[in-house]
Every structure is written in C-alpha cells, then in structure tokens.
C-alpha cells in the first residue's frame, strides 16, 4: 500500500475511534433507524478508503464522512417512502444533515440520547447494554458476547432484532423524564462500565486505553446531566478507583503485577481523591446500589496506601452484599479472591465449586486463572497445572500470559 493509502487508512481508523458513536447517534436521531445509520456510515468509510488515497485526506474527515453517509441514508429513506408520503420527511432530514456537514463543530452530541433510546423498555432487557456498546462505542458482536458471556452468533442475532425494534416502535432519542429513569439508567451505566472493563482488561493496547478514556468521559457526562443519581456517581467512582491503579499494573519490564503486589506509590492520588469524593456524595444521595458497593470494595483496596494492608474481612462482607444484589457468577469469582486472603485457598476453591457447572465459565479466562492460583496455594499441583494451562490458552494479554506461565513453572520448582 502507498504512503497516501496508509495515511488514508490511519485517518479513517482515527475517525472511527474518535467519532463513530457521535456520527451514528446523529444520523439515527431523525430516522430512528440505528442499523441504517450504521450501514450508511460503513459505506462512507468504504468510500473514504477508495477516494482519500487519490484525493488526499480532507481537512475535516468527520464532515466528509457525514456528507457521504447522509447521501446514502437519504437514498435509502427515499426508496422506502413514496414521493408524496416521504417527501417532507426526506427534505427535513437532508437539510439537517447538510447543515451539520457544513458546520461539524456544531453537530449536537446525541450519544446520550441514543443510549437512553437503546435502554427503552420496549427493547429486550438483556440487549439494552450490548446495543449501547455497539452503537455508541463501535464494539463488535464478538467483543460484546465475551463481556456478557453469550455466544457471538446469538449476540449478533439479538442485536439485529433490538435495532429493528427501535425503528419499528418509533422510540424517541431523548433523555427520559425523571420518573422513567430508574428502568433505563441501569442499562446505560452497565454499558459504560462494560466498555471501561474491556479497556481496563486489555492493558497496553492503545485502542483499549482509548475505550477506557471514552467510558470515563461518558460516565462524567451522565453524572453532569443527572447529578442527583447516586449510582451514576458510584459507577464513575468505581472507574476512577481502577484508573488510579493503572500505572502500577505493569513493572519496569512490562510484566503484569497483581493487585496485592502493586507498588502503592504508583497509584494516582488525585484520581483516588476524586473517586472518594464521588463515593461519599453517592452514599449521601440515596439507596446503595451495585456500583456504590463495587466502588466501596475498591475504596477498601485503596485503603492499603494508608494502612499498609488490605482489609480483607470488610472486602468479603461487601462482596456478600453485592452478591445478594446481583447473584452473579463473576461476583462469586471476585469474592473468592478476597475469601482466599481471609480464610485461605481451600475456602476460595470451595466457593468456585459452586459455579463450576456454569457453562459460561468454561471459556472464561479469569475463572481458570483464579482456580489455578488457589489450587497452587492449596498444594494441589495437578489441578493447578490444568487450570493454569487453560487460563494461559484463553489469555489474550501477552503480559498476563507470561505471568500465568511463570506461575505454572513455579509448580515444578515447589
């Protein structure tokens, strides 16, 4: 590929990272056709990769893409409507999009409105957060399926149905009235945090780092627009607690460092203080929810910077409360790690046995990594070797794979 071609590809990738959700949200706002907006934008990107290598990357790639996508979208709408029934609708849409393309800095950011449209009660409950992840952040069905422990093919089919539902039901793109928020805010927060979790897990990947940053930005946006919602503050606090520890998750050689071995001097104090303030505000504002509890768990971990040791009894108790709220196998897994510190590795393994038959755990790397770690500590070398081998095979992060390989090798030396 020529240098111009490489430049065009890099520019398209940059716009896809930075503006995908904003452009989809704007294109879909009038038609309420999310799938159609995605298709139109995909065609615009394809056109860019054909024309930009010859014509050069435009000064404002967002405006160029929006103009091309608008034409594709308008053509598609025109094909669906008769001239008499659809003429006014098409004209209004074309004028709005034409104006937006001419003044890209003035394009209203409708991502939050699209997020709440995706969280509408008419959408299948289990698909609300996944659809937000795909439409706003551009994650693939495979990525989303992994996060929600659902087969990719099933996830893809359900996402298609959910997008069709937005169009067929005429779901408005708007932040709902306060009385309608409780049933929809949960899905919005779940999607934002799932995006952050993906960005947090894939350490060292530039795209994943940007995804984490985008999730934090969206979290701040929700808090600013809904300042009285304690769970929004709790979720933002949870992300900031985790983000504060990011500099300590790799050593000088780039190797993975587990939480209990991290150098607390590397933790980001301003982010910790911001998270603590948010958690206090959330706890004052109303009933305690999932994100407030998870943030409190992180706060208990962070307390090690003052006391020099983690408060494992408190962490286990908080996980007990969280488990009552969520009944989640992932919570059981995380609780087992704290249980191992409080009661020993056998107690942790017994806890993991309660979810051993859950089919979703078969391909879940953290489950096998934890089981291997606990089994090694308990002296069950054969079980530890088997579990660590599975965890290594399921790992996508090279640093984590090296860490687990080191654990497996240590079994032979012990």
């Amino acid at each position: 590929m020529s240098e111009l071609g490489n430049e065009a590809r890099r520019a398209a990738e940059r716009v896809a990272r930075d503006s995908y959700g904003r452009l989809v949200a704007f294109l879909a706002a009038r038609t309420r056709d999310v799938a159609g907006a995605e298709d139109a934008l995909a065609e615009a990107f394809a056109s860019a990769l054909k024309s930009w290598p010859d014509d050069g990357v435009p000064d404002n790639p967002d405006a160029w893409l929006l103009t091309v996508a608008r034409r594709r979208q308008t053509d598609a709408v025109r094909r669906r409507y008769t001239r008499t029934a659809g003429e006014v609708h098409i004209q209004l849409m074309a004028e709005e999009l034409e104006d937006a393309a001419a003044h890209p800095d003035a394009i209203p950011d409708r991502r939050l409105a699209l997020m709440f449209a995706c969280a509408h009660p008419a959408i299948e409950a289990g698909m609300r957060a996944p659809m937000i992840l795909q439409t706003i952040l551009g994650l693939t069905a495979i990525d989303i399926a992994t996060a929600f422990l659902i087969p990719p093919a099933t996830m893809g089919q359900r996402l298609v149905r959910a997008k069709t539902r937005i169009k067929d039901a005429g779901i408005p793109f708007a932040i709902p009235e306060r009385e309608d928020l409780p049933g929809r805010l949960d899905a919005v927060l779940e999607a934002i945090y799932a995006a952050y979790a993906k960005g947090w897990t894939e350490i060292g990947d530039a795209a994943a780092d940007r995804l984490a940053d985008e999730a934090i930005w969206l979290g701040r946006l929700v808090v600013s627009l809904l300042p009285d919602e304690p769970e929004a503050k709790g979720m933002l606090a949870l992300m900031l607690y985790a983000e504060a520890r990011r500099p300590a998750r790799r050593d000088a050689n780039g190797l993975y460092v587990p939480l209990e071995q991290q150098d607390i001097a590397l933790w980001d104090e301003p982010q910790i203080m911001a998270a603590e303030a948010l958690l206090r505000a959330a706890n004052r504002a109303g009933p305690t929810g999932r994100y407030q509890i998870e943030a409190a768990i992180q706060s208990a971990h962070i307390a090690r910077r003052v006391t020099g040791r983690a408060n494992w009894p408190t962490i286990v108790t908080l996980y007990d409360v969280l488990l009552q709220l969520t009944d989640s196998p992932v919570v059981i897994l995380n609780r087992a790690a704290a249980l191992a510190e409080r009661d020993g590795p056998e107690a942790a393994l017994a806890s993991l046995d309660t979810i051993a038959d859950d089919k979703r755990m078969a391909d879940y790397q953290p489950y096998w990594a934890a089981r291997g770690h606990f089994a090694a500590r308990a002296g069950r070398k054969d079980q530890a070797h088997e579990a660590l081998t599975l965890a290594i095979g399921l790992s996508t992060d090279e640093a984590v794979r090296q860490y687990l390989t080191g654990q497996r090798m240590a079994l032979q030396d012990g």
Side-chain angles (χ1 to χ4, degrees):
M1 183 179 289
S2 68
E3 182 55 37
L4 286 176
N6 286 328
E7 181 185 353
R9 179 180 53 79
R10 288 193 296 269
E13 289 175 350
R14 184 174 62 253
V15 175
R17 289 193 306 266
D18 298 342
S19 302
Y20 179 84
R22 189 166 69 103
L23 295 176
V24 166
F26 185 83
L27 288 165
R30 181 172 291 279
T31 63
R32 297 171 184 165
D33 183 358
V34 176
E38 290 175 329
D39 289 344
L41 191 57
E43 290 185 31
F45 274 110
S47 295
L49 292 175
K50 290 180 180 178
S51 64
W52 290 0
D54 296 328
D55 301 338
V57 177
D59 293 337
N60 195 320
D62 286 25
W64 192 98
L65 288 163
L66 188 61
T67 299
V68 174
R70 179 262 302 170
R71 290 173 186 154
R72 301 290 193 276
Q73 192 181 41
T74 304
D75 289 344
V77 171
R78 185 175 285 114
R79 287 193 294 269
R80 289 199 302 268
Y81 286 89
T82 64
R83 289 190 62 84
T84 55
E87 186 175 355
V88 174
H89 177 91
I90 294 169
Q91 184 62 33
L92 286 172
M93 186 183 76
E95 289 174 359
E96 181 175 324
L97 292 170
E98 190 76 57
D99 183 66
H103 305 92
D105 293 337
I107 298 174
D109 194 334
R110 291 179 171 160
R111 281 178 292 181
L112 195 61
L114 176 54
M115 291 170 77
F116 277 104
C118 292
H120 193 276
I123 304 297
E124 179 187 348
M127 284 297 100
R128 295 170 193 171
M131 188 157 60
I132 292 170
L133 286 171
Q134 189 172 75
T135 58
I136 300 297
L137 295 169
L139 297 190
T140 67
I142 294 174
D143 288 334
I144 298 167
T146 299
F148 288 85
L149 305 179
I150 294 175
T154 302
M155 177 61 74
Q157 293 167 358
R158 291 180 182 176
L159 283 167
V160 169
R161 289 199 300 268
K163 291 173 190 176
T164 301
R165 183 64 179 156
I166 286 182
K167 180 175 64 174
D168 292 347
I171 294 172
F173 282 41
I175 298 173
E177 297 297 327
R178 184 167 187 80
E179 58 269 20
D180 297 325
L181 270 177
R184 296 167 71 176
L185 182 60
D186 285 352
V188 171
L189 298 182
E190 182 182 10
I192 293 173
Y193 186 64
Y196 179 79
K198 179 173 174 57
W200 165 260
T201 301
E202 298 179 10
I203 312 170
D205 182 274
D209 290 345
R210 282 187 292 271
L211 185 60
D213 290 342
E214 181 76 356
I216 290 174
W217 184 88
L218 288 170
R220 293 187 190 280
L221 178 62
V222 173
V223 169
S224 68
L225 293 176
L226 305 171
D228 297 328
E229 293 299 326
E231 273 288 78
K233 291 187 177 74
M235 183 203 63
L236 181 56
L238 174 60
M239 294 190 291
L240 292 180
Y241 278 126
E243 198 65 17
R245 300 200 312 271
R246 186 180 289 274
R249 299 181 72 205
R250 291 286 188 268
D251 66 13
N253 298 316
L255 298 178
Y256 171 76
V257 181
L259 173 60
E260 62 273 12
Q261 298 175 22
Q262 288 177 8
D263 181 356
I264 60 177
L266 297 176
W267 291 352
D268 187 308
E269 190 71 15
Q271 292 204 80
I272 291 173
M273 292 297 97
E276 297 273 67
L278 281 163
L279 181 57
R280 287 194 297 271
N283 291 340
R284 289 195 302 267
T288 299
R290 165 196 166 186
Y291 294 106
Q292 290 160 270
I293 295 296
E294 292 198 47
I297 291 170
Q298 294 302 315
S299 180
H301 280 299
I302 290 292
R304 178 157 69 90
R305 79 192 197 284
V306 176
T307 65
R309 56 187 175 81
N311 189 347
W312 294 114
T314 296
I315 293 171
V316 172
T317 300
L318 288 168
Y319 271 122
D320 289 340
V321 176
L322 184 61
L323 186 57
Q324 290 179 351
L325 287 175
T326 64
D327 193 28
S328 165
V330 176
V331 173
I332 292 175
L333 175 60
N334 293 333
R335 178 183 177 276
L339 203 61
E341 301 299 330
R342 190 190 73 175
D343 300 337
E346 292 290 355
L349 287 168
S351 180
L352 289 187
D353 286 343
T354 66
I355 56 173
D357 293 333
D358 190 324
K359 294 180 180 179
R360 294 172 295 180
M361 296 297 104
D363 298 322
Y364 192 51
Q365 188 271 354
Y367 170 81
W368 293 108
R371 182 170 280 281
H373 178 63
F374 302 149
R377 286 180 55 183
R380 304 185 189 182
K381 289 189 177 182
D382 290 344
Q383 293 180 23
H385 188 278
E386 180 183 0
L388 288 171
T389 299
L390 286 168
I392 291 166
L394 292 168
S395 295
T396 57
D397 186 324
E398 181 58 31
V400 172
R401 189 181 294 114
Q402 290 181 19
Y403 172 76
L404 294 172
T405 301
Q407 281 196 315
R408 187 175 64 179
M409 290 177 63
L411 294 171
Q412 302 169 2
D413 301 332

